[in-house]
Amino acid sequence: MNTPLPLGLPSVRRLPFDGRLLDDVVAELTDEVRELYTADEVPWVIGYSGGKDSTAVLQLVWTALKELPADRLTKPVHVISTDTLVENPVVAAWVTASLETMEKAAAEQGLPVEPHRLTPEIKDTFWVNLIGRGYPAPRPKFRWCTERLKIKPSNSFIRSVVAAHGEAIMVLGIRKTESQARARAMEKHEKRRIRDRLSPNANLPNSLVYSPVEDWTNDDVWEYLMQKPNPWGYNNQDLLSMYQGASEDGECPLVVDSTTPSCGSSRFGCWTCTLVEQDKSMTAMIQNDEEKEWMIPLLNLRDKLDSPFGFVEDKLDPDYQPGKKIPHPRPDKQARDFRRMNGQVNLFTRRSDGEFSVVHGPYLQKYREEWLRELLTAQTWIRAHAPEHVRNIELISIEELTEIRRIWVFDKHEVEDSVPTIYKKATGEEFPGGPLDEQLVMGADEMELLKEVCDGDELHYDMVRELLSVERKYRTMTRRSGLFQALEGAVQKGFYEDRDDAVAFAQRKKKWREEVETNPTFDEVTDTDAPA
C-alpha cells in the first residue's frame, strides 16, 4: 500500500523514457518508421494539429524519411490539419505558418510530404449552425460541433485517399497517458493489432492507425522536442513558449529531475468551445502577455454563450474601465423557441417531481441577430485595435454570412433580410452580397406594417410571415406539389394563443397517447379545449 505524501510535497514521477537514452529511443523508432514505410505502397496520412504530440510524431517520420534514399521515397505522406474556423487565433496562425514552411522544406529536401489545410463545408461551420440555424451552444448531451467541424473534413479526406489507393495508414500522436479513457480505447484495439503500434481503424474501413509515441509521457515529448531540432525549419522553442503562455502560472519547465512539474497540460481548441467550464488557455494567454489583450472580445463572446450569469471585462462597452467587469447573462431557455425546428412541441417528464418540461428548440430570431451583431462588432474592433499581424482576422467569412442570410430568408422565412443591415451597422461597410428584393415577399416597410397589425403577437406574426413566404415560393412553380403541406405546417406551428397554450395542448396530447397505450380499447378522445 502506498503511503500518501505530505501536503505540498510533489509526487515523484518516472524519468523521461524510463531512464533510457533519448538517442536510443529515437533510433529505435525511426528504424521502425522506415521499415513500415517501405513495407508496401499504402499512403500515409499524418494528423497534425500544431501541438506538441502531433509535432513530435511528424518530426519522427520526417527524420526517418530523410535517411532513406530517393528511390525508396515511393509513396506520399499527407499531413492534414483541420481548421475549424473558430480555432484559437494564436494557434491557428501558428499552424498555418507551419504548414507553409513545411511545404517549402519538403520540396527543398525532396521528401514526399504534402501538407493539407482542411476546413468544414460552409453548411457545417460553427456560426452557420449557431447563428444561422439557431443550434444552441454545444453541450455534452448535444455535441453537434465535433462531428461537423473536425471529424467530417478529415474523414472525407481519408476516404478520398482510400478510394484512390484502396488503403491508408493514419499516423497519429495519440498517447495512453493523455487520459484513462484514451488508454482504455487504445488497449481495446491492441487485441486486433497487426504489429506493434499498428491497429485497425474502428471508424474508417480499409485504414490502419499507427501510434509511434503511444507510450510517451508529456515529459518524454518535451524532452524529444527540445533536444532534437525541427527538421522542416520551425522552432520548437516557440512551441514551448506558446504552451508556457497558455499555462495559468506562466511556467512550463523542462524536466531537470523526477520532481519537476510537467509541461503540456494546456489544451488548445476552439475559442467558442462551451464543452469546458472555462477557456483556460486563452485566459492565460491574455493574462501572461499584454500584446494578446486583443483577444478579450473573443473571451467575452465565449463567456456570453456559456455562462449562466457571468461577469466579463468588456472593452467594447462604452463605459469600459480597466478591470471593470459587467454582468452578462446567457439567454438560454428564454432565448430559445419552445418549439423544435419542425414546429412540434416536445415534452419530457422531470424525474424530480414527475411534471412535464418543454424540450426547447433553436435560438429565436432576435437572439440570433444579436449574436451576429456582437460577432461582427468584435471583429471590427479587433481589426482596428489588434497588432498589425492580426489586423485582417476573419471571425466569420462572407461565405458564412451569405449562407446565414439564405437560411434566415428562405428556410426560416425571416423575410426582413436583416443580415445586410446588421453588417452595415457593425462594420460601417455595405454588405457585399447582392439584393434579394425580387425574391422577397414584401419590403421592410410592409413587414413593419404587418408587425404593427399583429400588435406584439409574435406567434401569429411569424405564422402570417411564413404563409406569405410559402405562397411566394410556390407562385412561379409550374407544378405546386407540396404547397398544401407547407401551408399546413406553417399553420400548425403558429395556431396557438401563446407558449402556455402550446404547452398545455402538448400535455393533453401526451396524456391521451399514454392512455391509449395502457388501454387499447380507448382509441378516441374528443379534446374540446384544443385550439381551432
Side-chain angles (χ1 to χ4, degrees):
M1 180 175 179
N2 294 329
T3 303
L5 294 172
L7 187 64
L9 185 64
S11 59
V12 178
R13 300 191 320 276
R14 74 170 179 84
L15 292 171
F17 305 109
D18 286 322
R20 295 182 61 197
L21 293 177
L22 174 62
D23 288 342
D24 293 343
V25 174
V26 172
E28 181 181 301
L29 276 177
T30 50
D31 285 344
E32 181 179 283
V33 169
R34 282 190 291 271
E35 179 187 349
L36 186 60
Y37 177 84
T38 56
D40 51 46
E41 297 300 316
V42 179
W44 284 17
V45 180
I46 301 179
Y48 177 72
S49 66
K52 65 184 191 308
D53 297 333
S54 60
T55 299
V57 165
L58 178 56
Q59 189 165 311
L60 279 169
V61 174
W62 193 297
T63 302
L65 297 184
K66 280 183 66 175
E67 298 179 13
L68 284 173
D71 61 345
R72 304 199 70 183
L73 298 172
T74 56
K75 63 184 183 184
V77 175
H78 301 283
V79 179
I80 60 172
S81 179
T82 304
D83 185 349
T84 64
L85 303 180
V86 283
E87 297 289 329
N88 180 305
V90 173
V91 180
W94 164 273
V95 173
T96 300
S98 180
L99 292 175
E100 293 172 354
T101 304
M102 198 183 299
E103 186 174 20
K104 295 177 182 177
E108 292 171 357
Q109 298 175 29
L111 297 178
V113 177
E114 303 175 12
H116 305 270
R117 176 178 173 268
L118 310 179
T119 57
E121 296 183 47
I122 292 298
K123 66 182 180 66
D124 289 330
T125 67
F126 184 84
W127 296 120
V128 164
N129 282 283
L130 187 135
I131 294 178
R133 295 187 175 90
Y135 283 13
R139 291 290 181 269
K141 292 185 178 180
F142 188 42
R143 190 170 180 164
W144 55 263
C145 53
T146 307
E147 171 72 20
R148 290 172 171 83
L149 305 185
K150 288 183 174 291
I151 297 176
K152 285 179 67 175
S154 58
N155 282 2
S156 177
F157 182 89
I158 296 166
R159 287 193 183 99
S160 68
V161 173
V162 171
H165 301 275
E167 292 180 277
I169 292 178
M170 296 178 61
V171 187
L172 303 178
I174 52 177
R175 297 182 296 106
K176 294 178 182 177
T177 57
E178 289 181 72
S179 67
Q180 292 183 354
R182 175 59 59 84
R184 286 194 297 268
M186 294 178 69
E187 289 168 0
K188 176 182 176 182
H189 295 305
E190 282 181 4
K191 300 175 182 177
R192 300 169 55 203
R193 281 191 164 175
I194 298 173
R195 53 171 292 173
D196 288 347
R197 290 180 278 274
L198 187 64
S199 308
N201 190 329
N203 300 315
L204 292 172
N206 295 339
S207 63
L208 301 170
V209 174
Y210 177 46
S211 49
V213 297
E214 61 179 29
D215 295 318
W216 288 18
T217 64
N218 282 340
D219 296 338
D220 297 341
V221 174
W222 285 117
E223 176 86 7
Y224 171 65
L225 292 177
M226 292 301 102
Q227 297 297 324
K228 299 297 180 180
N230 188 295
W232 60 89
Y234 231 45
N235 192 342
N236 287 341
Q237 185 64 44
D238 292 339
L239 179 62
L240 177 67
S241 299
M242 187 166 65
Y243 271 87
Q244 180 181 15
S247 300
E248 290 184 8
D249 55 5
E251 296 182 1
C252 192
L254 294 179
V255 178
V256 294
D257 56 45
S258 59
T259 62
T260 305
S262 177
C263 175
S265 59
S266 301
R267 291 283 183 171
F268 301 113
C270 302
W271 66 266
T272 57
C273 185
T274 52
L275 295 171
V276 293
E277 293 184 2
Q278 180 187 13
D279 190 335
K280 294 182 179 180
S281 62
M282 180 176 284
T283 302
M285 284 182 176
I286 295 171
Q287 291 175 346
N288 295 334
D289 189 349
E290 291 183 359
E291 291 187 359
K292 293 186 174 64
E293 286 187 353
W294 60 267
M295 292 194 294
I296 288 178
L298 305 186
L299 201 59
N300 291 344
L301 274 173
R302 185 264 169 205
D303 289 344
K304 290 178 187 179
L305 284 172
D306 181 54
S307 176
F309 199 90
F311 289 81
V312 298
E313 185 175 0
D314 193 349
K315 283 195 171 183
L316 304 183
D317 179 18
D319 300 323
Y320 167 75
Q321 297 176 3
K324 175 186 176 183
K325 292 190 176 183
I326 57 178
H328 277 293
R330 173 173 62 86
D332 189 16
K333 289 186 178 179
Q334 68 269 29
R336 292 167 59 184
D337 200 330
F338 63 86
R339 299 162 296 186
R340 307 306 295 269
M341 282 193 173
N342 59 8
Q344 294 183 354
V345 180
N346 290 355
L347 305 175
F348 72 95
T349 305
R350 295 197 300 259
R351 292 182 180 179
S352 57
D353 52 17
E355 292 295 321
F356 293 128
S357 289
V358 178
V359 180
H360 286 78
Y363 286 130
L364 295 166
Q365 179 180 354
K366 64 179 181 180
Y367 289 102
R368 286 184 276 109
E369 291 177 345
E370 183 61 28
W371 292 134
L372 180 58
R373 187 177 297 108
E374 293 199 20
L375 179 63
L376 288 171
T377 300
Q379 177 175 279
T380 303
W381 186 91
I382 291 173
R383 288 180 173 180
H385 297 86
E388 190 66 32
H389 66 280
V390 290
R391 286 288 175 91
N392 295 323
I393 192 171
E394 189 175 70
L395 301 183
I396 184 170
S397 68
I398 296 299
E399 291 78 13
E400 289 176 285
L401 289 169
T402 301
E403 177 64 7
I404 289 171
R405 185 188 190 190
R406 186 198 66 78
I407 292 172
W408 285 4
V409 172
F410 299 110
D411 293 352
K412 292 185 174 293
H413 309 289
E414 295 164 2
V415 293
E416 298 88 350
D417 190 23
S418 56
V419 168
T421 303
I422 295 172
Y423 186 87
K424 176 68 180 294
K425 289 182 178 179
T427 67
E429 302 173 359
E430 295 292 338
F431 184 70
L436 297 178
D437 295 344
E438 296 182 358
Q439 304 177 57
L440 297 178
V441 177
M442 296 185 293
D445 294 338
E446 289 81 1
M447 296 308 299
E448 282 298 323
L449 182 60
L450 175 60
K451 188 170 288 189
E452 289 180 14
V453 171
C454 291
D455 193 25
D457 191 333
E458 292 291 337
L459 280 178
H460 290 169
Y461 169 74
D462 291 346
M463 181 180 70
V464 174
R465 181 181 63 179
E466 184 168 345
L467 287 171
L468 290 170
S469 180
V470 169
E471 189 276 335
R472 174 68 178 82
K473 176 182 177 181
Y474 283 88
R475 181 190 304 170
T476 57
M477 289 185 178
T478 305
R479 191 167 180 269
R480 301 185 180 183
S481 175
L483 170 61
F484 291 110
Q485 290 87 341
L487 292 173
E488 183 181 19
V491 172
Q492 287 179 343
K493 284 195 289 185
F495 77 141
Y496 309 106
E497 288 293 333
D498 51 28
R499 178 187 183 278
D500 292 338
D501 179 40
V503 173
F505 178 67
Q507 288 177 341
R508 293 195 298 272
K509 191 175 180 181
K510 184 179 179 70
K511 288 181 178 178
W512 172 73
R513 285 178 176 171
E514 291 175 350
E515 289 174 355
V516 171
E517 290 175 359
T518 56
N519 186 4
T521 61
F522 183 75
D523 59 357
E524 183 177 353
V525 171
T526 302
D527 190 348
T528 57
D529 296 327

